[in-house]
Structure formats: C-alpha cells, structure tokens
Amino acid sequence: MQKNAVAVIFANQRTTADAEGYAAAAAAMVAAAERQPGYLGIHSVRDESGFGITVSYWADDAAAQAWRDDPAHSAIRGQGRAGWYEWYDLQVATVIRAYDWRRGGD
C-alpha cells in the first residue's frame, strides 16, 4: 500500500436477512469500486457470527469521498441499513507506513 493512501475501515455486523442478495450486492460494489478513479485495493473478512471488517484503500480523500457519494454505492448503503446490517462503524484514516510480506517471496 502506498504511503499517504486513505484507508476506509468499515466494521459491521450482518443480520441473517437475504444472504444471497447481500452477497450479490457486495460483489457488485467491489466491482464498481475497482472502476473508480483513485481505487487502490480492498481487504475484507467476515466471521461465522456475521461480524465483518472491510478496508478499502484510495489514492486520496477526494477519491474516497467520491466513492462515498457514488449513486449506486449510496443506494446499496440504503439497502444495508434497511435490512443487511445490525450496525456498522466507519473510520477514515491516512496510511503513514505500510509493509507487506509473502511466503516464498523472501
């Protein structure tokens, strides 16, 4: 990850409602985000209880805000509030340092 990238950290608790609809919407949102100017990448995990964390990375705050304001993203956010999430927390942070490591890449 590049230094000074913007990380949007989305922690959430899923409901049990409409798992198939949620999965389809999540895949569509990842595909849409990948087409956005300034998109750098994403990491996402969810446990058996439905708790999840998704971190999306953006070149700058303007790119992250443009994604927040994207009409399709806004519509899906409304569906999430209406039925897919019990709650969510979102933080926006700047990456000041980044490291990575891959097995076999030494």
Side-chain angles (χ1 to χ4, degrees):
M1 191 51 47
Q2 72 183 38
K3 185 177 176 183
N4 295 322
V6 171
V8 178
I9 306 158
F10 178 63
N12 60 83
Q13 180 66 49
R14 281 268 295 119
T15 68
T16 57
D18 189 21
E20 288 182 17
Y22 176 81
M29 287 299 94
V30 169
E34 289 173 343
R35 294 188 299 270
Q36 292 292 310
Y39 173 83
L40 299 175
I42 194 167
H43 294 113
S44 189
V45 296
R46 184 167 306 282
D47 72 12
E48 305 81 34
S49 75
F51 175 75
I53 299 176
T54 298
V55 183
S56 60
Y57 300 95
W58 301 89
D60 54 34
D61 194 45
Q65 288 184 35
W67 173 240
R68 177 199 64 198
D69 297 340
D70 177 81
H73 186 209
S74 294
I76 292 296
R77 186 170 46 248
Q79 286 183 278
R81 289 175 178 165
W84 290 328
Y85 295 116
E86 291 290 342
W87 58 265
Y88 68 77
D89 293 327
L90 187 134
Q91 293 85 34
V92 178
T94 302
V95 175
I96 60 169
R97 190 176 308 107
Y99 306 94
D100 65 358
W101 177 86
R102 304 286 187 272
R103 184 168 306 284
D106 296 332

